[in-house]
Amino acid sequence: MDEYKIKRIEEGLTKIEFPEFDKVSSEAPVFYNPHMELNRDLSILAIQVFQNEENREINICDLFGGSGIRGIRYKNEIDGVDNVAINDISELANEYEKHNIQLNNLENIEVYQHDASMFLRMKRGEFDVIDIDPFGTPSPFLDSAGYCARRNSLLCVTATDTSALCGTYKEPCIRKYNAKPYKSEYCHENGIRILAGFVALTLAKYSKCIDIKMSHSTEHYMRLYIKIEKGSKKSDETLKNIGYISHCSNCLHRQTSYGLASAVEETCPICGEKLTHAGPLWLGDIQNKEFIQKMIEETEHKKINTEKEALKLLNSCLNEANAPVTFFDVHSICKSLKISAPKLDLIFEEIKNEGFIAIKTHYNPLGIKTDANIEEIKSILIKLSK
């Protein structure tokens, strides 16, 4: 530990020390990512709401410990936490984790040095919360998480391989998530739905099903908070949310097809062009209104450095609950129509006047979630542009 220049930071009520490094990468001697502070703040809110709902002491697994910041904050800042297990395969990371636990005068935190998947297999049924926050894809660890997860537990999953999930690189997505992506204006929502669908199908092998409490796509990563429930009948029922999104690149129409092996239309019903299909993916809810509302209320009881940013995102996700699948990008549509984009507020107002839903989305400041179809939106935009 002495050979490195040490940096000290504070997040929430927690202080940690780690070796200073120039660039955030997996090559750093001990991994700490300052850009994930919002992620950790939201995780504290989500896990606290989960603990409140369960009304019992919970045990937490931080699968990729790094500096220990995540697991230590969970123990230090969440009420009703019994034991926290911090795992990292790096011996040096383990040293800093132990050092930072002492720095915060905490007990009931154990540090482990194991391969992540093997660790989960060894600890079957021991955790109420499993947090998978790897550098890259969570895909290789989800099978073991499905094996390990107990009934009525919370699974928190981060994916930073957004270029695969969003369709920039198609083959890695097929390889890692068994799904075909599509790079559209709503590709980040597609990515979250591909990740959620993969989690659902992976856990179904163990007769476990998912109930998504919150999801978001922020900067370079995607994040899911998922309640895990048990039962083969429940799992079968949940898998009815698996399906496909079909997109027309010519007129920007999109449609959904439910079922893992469902028949999908090959041509666009509006313009007759060939449709492109993305999936299998999750077509069910990806935001839970009641859970997110409780997270917002919980900010009053926590010290959160990113509070302004967190509340903005939470309120946006709250509004998106129960909204239609995918969204429309105003500028993409106006470009296809060769017209100037009207003011966004006017567009929202007119869509609502026509009797449709119109909701802003956190994925894109120019995005509109609506039950109006592409022809109806184009008609509204042409009317407003005149």
Side-chain angles (χ1 to χ4, degrees), residues 20-305:
E20 194 165 12
F21 53 96
D22 296 329
K23 190 180 175 187
V24 175
S25 81
S26 55
E27 304 302 314
V30 175
F31 189 70
Y32 167 79
N33 190 346
H35 303 298
M36 295 297 254
E37 185 173 5
L38 173 66
N39 180 317
R40 291 185 284 269
D41 285 346
L42 291 170
S43 301
I44 283 168
L45 297 172
I47 296 170
Q48 186 66 76
V49 170
F50 167 75
Q51 189 277 330
N52 291 344
E53 288 184 345
E54 291 297 306
N55 195 25
R56 58 185 166 88
E57 288 208 320
I58 58 172
N59 297 325
I60 302 176
C61 167
D62 175 12
L63 195 57
F64 296 92
S67 63
I69 180 64
R70 189 177 287 273
I72 293 169
R73 284 194 70 189
Y74 290 171
K75 179 62 184 174
N76 201 27
E77 299 177 39
I78 299 172
D79 300 328
V81 175
D82 188 7
N83 293 298
V84 173
I86 299 178
N87 178 69
D88 200 294
I89 204 162
S90 160
E91 188 177 347
L92 185 63
N94 288 166
E95 286 182 38
Y96 276 93
E97 287 154 9
K98 289 171 184 172
H99 169 74
N100 288 325
I101 290 164
Q102 290 178 341
L103 195 63
N104 290 276
N105 300 310
L106 295 173
E107 294 178 348
N108 291 357
I109 302 192
E110 293 293 324
V111 172
Y112 298 88
Q113 187 184 3
H114 292 289
D115 168 83
S117 290
M118 290 301 295
F119 180 68
L120 289 174
R121 298 264 166 187
M122 288 160 46
K123 297 286 185 179
R124 184 180 188 184
E126 290 189 20
F127 303 119
D128 302 285
V129 179
I130 297 171
D131 197 312
I132 303 176
D133 184 46
F135 196 89
T137 178
S139 169
F141 317 106
L142 289 168
D143 205 281
S144 294
Y147 176 83
C148 179
R150 63 196 292 182
R151 186 191 302 269
N152 295 331
S153 60
L154 189 72
L155 178 63
C156 312
V157 182
T158 304
T160 59
D161 57 334
T162 53
S163 57
L165 285 162
C166 290
T168 304
Y169 302 108
K170 188 169 72 175
E171 286 77 9
C173 187
I174 294 168
R175 186 173 68 245
K176 291 185 275 191
Y177 299 103
N178 304 339
K180 185 185 165 198
Y182 181 64
K183 192 169 173 60
S184 62
E185 59 269 30
Y186 51 89
C187 62
H188 284 83
E189 180 177 340
N190 259 14
I192 278 184
R193 292 186 181 279
I194 286 171
L195 177 59
F198 183 73
V199 174
L201 288 165
T202 302
L203 266 63
K205 290 189 284 184
Y206 302 100
S207 296
K208 291 168 188 173
C209 60
I210 72 170
D211 175 11
I212 301 173
K213 296 300 185 183
M214 187 202 163
S215 66
H216 65 100
S217 176
T218 304
E219 293 179 355
H220 65 287
Y221 70 90
M222 296 172 185
R223 180 75 162 167
L224 291 172
Y225 298 94
I226 303 168
K227 178 90 176 279
I228 306 298
E229 295 175 3
K230 209 168 179 183
S232 52
K233 281 186 179 176
K234 265 188 183 177
S235 300
D236 293 343
E237 194 61 31
T238 305
L239 292 183
K240 290 177 182 175
N241 288 298
I242 298 290
Y244 298 83
I245 295 173
S246 302
H247 183 88
C248 177
S249 57
N250 181 52
C251 74
L252 305 181
H253 165 73
R254 72 286 311 266
Q255 61 192 50
T256 57
S257 313
Y258 285 81
L260 187 60
S262 62
V264 291
E265 290 182 51
E266 290 302 317
T267 56
C268 176
I270 290 173
C271 71
E273 286 292 316
K274 190 178 178 185
L275 291 171
T276 307
H277 312 294
L281 41 68
W282 182 261
L283 293 173
D285 291 337
I286 51 174
Q287 310 290 3
N288 181 295
K289 200 164 194 170
E290 292 76 19
F291 192 89
I292 296 168
Q293 183 59 51
K294 288 176 185 175
M295 286 178 69
I296 291 168
E297 290 163 10
E298 195 58 48
T299 58
E300 295 175 19
H301 310 296
K302 302 292 179 196
K303 183 177 183 288
I304 290 176
N305 295 344

